[in-house]
Amino acid sequence: MDCLVSLIYKYGDERTKARAMLCDIYHHAILDEFSTSRDLLLMSHLQDSIQHMDISTQILFNRAMAQLGLCAFRVGLITEGQDAFLNYIQVEG
């Protein structure tokens, strides 16, 4: 996964890079790597610009955010899980 994402970061357009980042965040969240997933999200600043992206990318963002919250709950980080869902609601609201 890391190799594929690296290729997209190097050669992809902005939309493709954003989608690759979201897939990477989702991938790490599925593997219960909360810190890695959260750090990728915070470094990407995607939550600041997601409203201006196409619908399919917004859906992917929603899925990644939901999975990040579930990941936090799975690893026992209840407060962080609640924060992830509250941030999801704020972005959507």
Side-chain angles (χ1 to χ4, degrees):
M1 179 76 175
D2 291 332
C3 182
L4 295 173
V5 171
S6 296
L7 283 172
I8 293 171
Y9 292 155
K10 189 173 182 179
Y11 299 109
D13 61 2
E14 291 305 311
R15 177 181 178 271
T16 307
K17 288 177 186 178
R19 291 181 63 82
M21 176 64 75
L22 290 169
C23 288
D24 202 19
I25 291 167
Y26 187 93
H27 174 76
H28 286 290
I30 287 287
L31 296 176
D32 290 340
E33 298 172 357
F34 176 77
S35 296
T36 304
S37 186
R38 182 200 56 212
D39 292 348
L40 285 170
L41 177 67
L42 293 175
M43 288 186 324
S44 71
H45 299 286
L46 285 171
Q47 63 271 30
D48 299 333
S49 60
I50 195 64
Q51 296 88 359
H52 306 294
M53 294 187 183
D54 62 289
I55 297 298
S56 62
T57 303
Q58 290 178 17
I59 291 169
L60 186 56
F61 177 81
N62 291 344
R63 290 178 180 170
M65 289 297 296
Q67 198 55 241
L68 182 62
L70 291 171
C71 172
F73 284 119
R74 284 193 304 268
V75 298
L77 301 170
I78 306 304
T79 304
E80 288 83 351
Q82 290 173 330
D83 290 344
F85 284 119
L86 286 174
N87 289 336
Y88 169 73
I89 291 168
Q90 289 173 349
V91 168
E92 288 301 304

